[in-house]
Amino acid sequence: MTTTAIDPAVHKRRWLILGVLVLSLLVVVLDSSILNVALKTIADPVRGLGASETDLEWATNAYTLAFAGLLFTWGVLGDRIGRKKLLLIGMSVFGLGSLASAYAQTPGDLIIARIVMGVGGAAVMPTTLAIISNVFEPKERPKAIGIWSGAVGIAIAVGPITGGVLLQHFWWGSVFLVNIPIVLLAVALMLLLVPDSKNPAPGRFDPVGVPLSIAGITAFVYGIIRAGDIGWLRPEALGIIAAGVLLLILFVLWERRTDHPALNVKLFRHKSFSAAVSVVGLVFLALMGLTFFLSFYMQAVRGFSPLKCGLLLIPLAAAQLIFSSRSAALVQRLGHKTVTATGMALVTLALGSYFFVDATTPIWHLEIALFAMGTGMANVMPPATAAVMASVPREKAGEGSAISNTVRQVGGALGVAVLGSILTSAYRGRMTPILDAVPALHSNPATVKTLSGSITATQAFVEKVAPRADALVGPSNDAFVHAMHLAVAGSVAAGALGVLIALLWLPGRNALSRSEPDTTDVTAAPTAARTDERVLLAD
């Protein structure tokens, strides 16, 4: 396959373009983590919207569902209509959704606005990565992807800090309104700096595959979220997950037989592509599971404010900022297999250190573990993402990016749902007999079930009836730490599986260039148009 050289004017400003793309990515990922610290305020009937627990769950999950369900579709559309156009559309929709969220008058308004934000955000994430693949030459691309990957980790850590600062000085809507100036700046810089690119021979649109992908991914992610809420063995949760899996199987079968597929399923025959995608999902499962139970540990067990919790996550972000851009040089020397497996092993060891955390563990222990995890992730995400993007031709960059980011999002949802479910069930198992022994709760199983559902519910009861229930504080902390250790075991298992996959199937040094996948497009487009990768970079 021959490739057209990148326009010299574009090449000259490539790092400025990367800065714009990172800014766009930061605001989208930041929003996912910044909301968590505002949920308690939004639930307040005076300072917020008086949202119920169900409302808050939907405010979070509606964004996740829209985001995950449309990632693949937006990536494919970007390859067809132009990635710059789609990026501008996505940022504009995200900005409008942020504005509507900031000034929502009811929980229902907020949920609808969050869906709009998810639709816009889903267009941004895969498009930024696809543009990187079309702006940077293969030699510099891994370093650029390293910086891009680092931005994801930084945003996850910086979100709670930003949210804590805003909530200390402004009303709850400020956590969404802060997006608007960033969106406006990013759009202006896109118009000035970012070139457009698309697949010159996209073939016909796939009217069956695209809806199947949206329905399958959305149903599967919703089933995971629902299972985390009501239990993994409930027929409702299992039925939704099964429906999602069935739709995705139908999607794959359709893509294999149609002559104009939205997804070239031959990509998954390539070991390095499938392995890299799997590692991306597993490391995000571990990360989102960690941040989920760690936020409860810091606020409920240790009594830290949301702002302090955010500040304590700085080592995680700092390590990714320091090491993400350096991972490309390590890959050149040692290969994807060695760097990714070592990084994943470091992530797993860092997670394992939480087995030794209790209610009085020194903070420096947590900080060292977070820094080690950030260092490991900085040597997992960039090489794995670079391996994914190296396995697809440049004109299909949006498709490869969308697959990687969809798996990332599903992995994160699994981390919160699966590990959150382990956390809840283990905590309830420890606290139920303790609460049953409280005279005020004797013979009231419904109340016991509610109070044993989370450490925050138990502590709210303690605050309400204190000092009569002060004796529950110590047992509730111990029960949570026990439950956290079981959730840690799940994270460690995911990390260990990632190490194994990396060692078995990721390519060694310089192997990618010698082992390109068969990604021949089976559309009826002219052969010359398929084999000449005319990137159509235009100012």
Side-chain angles (χ1 to χ4, degrees):
M1 180 170 60
T2 59
T3 58
T4 302
I6 295 172
D7 186 285
V10 172
H11 181 73
K12 190 177 294 186
R13 64 175 189 267
R14 64 196 184 283
W15 296 108
L16 291 174
I17 294 169
L18 179 62
V20 178
L21 299 177
V22 166
L23 181 66
S24 307
L25 180 68
L26 272 172
V27 71
V28 171
V29 181
L30 189 76
D31 179 78
S32 301
S33 57
I34 199 173
L35 175 64
N36 293 332
V37 300
L39 292 177
K40 189 174 180 180
T41 306
I42 294 172
D44 191 302
V46 178
R47 297 179 59 207
L49 298 175
S52 66
E53 187 172 335
T54 302
D55 293 332
L56 295 176
E57 288 176 0
W58 271 108
T60 302
N61 295 338
Y63 179 89
T64 302
L65 285 172
F67 194 93
L70 290 171
L71 268 171
F72 175 73
T73 301
W74 281 135
V76 172
L77 286 176
D79 287 341
R80 299 177 68 90
I81 69 173
R83 299 172 187 116
K84 178 178 179 177
K85 297 183 186 70
L86 192 65
L87 185 57
L88 288 167
I89 291 170
M91 286 299 288
S92 301
V93 171
F94 184 83
L96 290 172
S98 299
L99 190 63
S101 295
Y103 291 102
Q105 298 300 304
T106 66
D109 292 343
L110 179 61
I111 292 167
I112 293 170
R114 292 284 294 165
I115 292 173
V116 175
M117 291 179 70
V119 171
V124 173
M125 183 173 272
T127 308
T128 54
L129 185 54
I131 291 173
I132 288 173
S133 293
N134 282 273
V135 167
F136 286 87
E137 297 287 0
K139 266 184 135 180
E140 289 184 321
R141 199 176 299 155
K143 183 176 181 180
I145 290 174
I147 295 171
W148 180 92
S149 298
V152 176
I154 291 167
I156 289 172
V158 170
I161 300 173
T162 308
V165 171
L166 290 171
L167 291 173
Q168 278 190 351
H169 298 91
F170 305 101
W171 97 112
W172 66 268
S174 62
V175 301
F176 299 111
L177 199 62
V178 71
N179 295 335
I180 304 303
I182 304 175
V183 168
L184 292 174
L185 176 61
V187 167
L189 292 173
M190 283 175 206
L191 291 170
L192 289 172
L193 296 171
V194 177
D196 204 0
S197 62
K198 62 182 179 181
N199 185 350
R204 288 184 291 156
F205 185 70
D206 183 0
V208 176
V210 169
L212 276 176
S213 72
I214 295 172
I217 294 169
T218 302
F220 182 67
V221 174
Y222 177 64
I224 292 168
I225 293 169
R226 191 68 181 140
D229 290 338
I230 65 174
W232 284 89
L233 299 180
R234 297 290 291 273
E236 178 188 343
L238 292 174
I240 297 170
I241 292 173
V245 171
L246 178 61
L247 287 167
L248 290 173
I249 291 172
L250 292 174
F251 168 69
V252 171
L253 293 175
W254 171 262
E255 296 302 286
R256 289 180 62 183
R257 62 177 295 181
T258 182
D259 60 356
H260 50 281
L263 169 65
N264 183 2
V265 292
K266 289 182 180 180
L267 287 170
F268 290 95
R269 297 178 185 173
H270 191 49
K271 289 188 297 183
S272 67
F273 180 87
S274 296
V277 166
S278 300
V279 169
V280 167
L282 287 167
V283 77
F284 252 73
L285 187 156
L287 173 67
M288 297 309 292
L290 169 72
T291 54
F292 177 77
F293 64 70
L294 202 56
S295 63
F296 280 100
Y297 170 80
M298 288 181 174
Q299 293 188 60
V301 177
R302 304 305 291 266
F304 300 149
S305 68
L307 177 57
K308 188 170 182 178
C309 289
L311 292 172
L312 290 173
L313 290 175
I314 286 177
L316 178 69
Q320 293 190 66
L321 181 65
I322 294 167
F323 297 109
S324 285
S325 61
R326 291 170 167 80
S327 64
L330 286 175
V331 169
Q332 285 183 341
R333 290 173 53 194
L334 304 173
H336 284 77
K337 181 195 298 284
T338 301
V339 174
T340 306
T342 303
M344 202 71 191
L346 186 55
V347 168
T348 306
L349 288 172
L351 289 167
S353 72
Y354 286 94
F355 282 124
F356 305 100
V357 169
D358 59 27
T360 60
T361 298
I363 294 302
W364 60 260
H365 178 127
L366 303 178
E367 300 299 273
I368 291 173
L370 285 169
F371 188 83
M373 183 164 183
T375 303
M377 286 194 66
N379 288 286
V380 171
M381 291 302 302
T385 305
V388 171
M389 299 310 293
S391 298
V392 297
R394 189 188 288 175
E395 75 271 13
K396 292 262 190 174
E399 182 180 309
S401 172
I403 294 169
S404 174
N405 285 297
T406 300
V407 172
R408 182 199 309 259
Q409 193 71 14
V410 171
L414 272 169
V416 173
V418 175
L419 300 181
S421 179
I422 292 172
L423 194 76
T424 300
S425 59
Y427 181 79
R428 174 169 282 138
R430 278 291 182 99
M431 284 303 296
T432 297
I434 296 172
L435 290 168
D436 276 335
V438 176
L441 301 176
H442 193 62
S443 302
N444 196 342
T447 303
V448 169
K449 184 176 181 181
T450 300
L451 297 182
S452 65
S454 69
I455 189 171
T456 52
T458 306
Q459 288 186 347
F461 172 73
V462 170
E463 291 175 6
K464 184 177 180 181
V465 301
R468 289 176 294 161
D470 281 353
L472 290 175
V473 173
S476 68
N477 287 344
D478 293 339
F480 182 86
V481 169
H482 164 74
M484 185 177 75
H485 289 164
L486 293 179
V488 165
S491 292
V492 169
L497 180 59
V499 173
L500 184 63
I501 290 172
L503 288 173
L504 289 177
W505 293 300
L506 276 181
R509 189 161 65 94
N510 299 326
L512 280 177
S513 60
R514 300 193 304 269
S515 178
E516 287 302 316
D518 175 14
T519 55
T520 306
D521 198 341
V522 293
T523 60
T527 302
R530 288 201 311 269
T531 56
D532 181 10
E533 191 182 314
R534 290 168 293 182
V535 182
L536 302 182
L537 286 170
D539 290 330

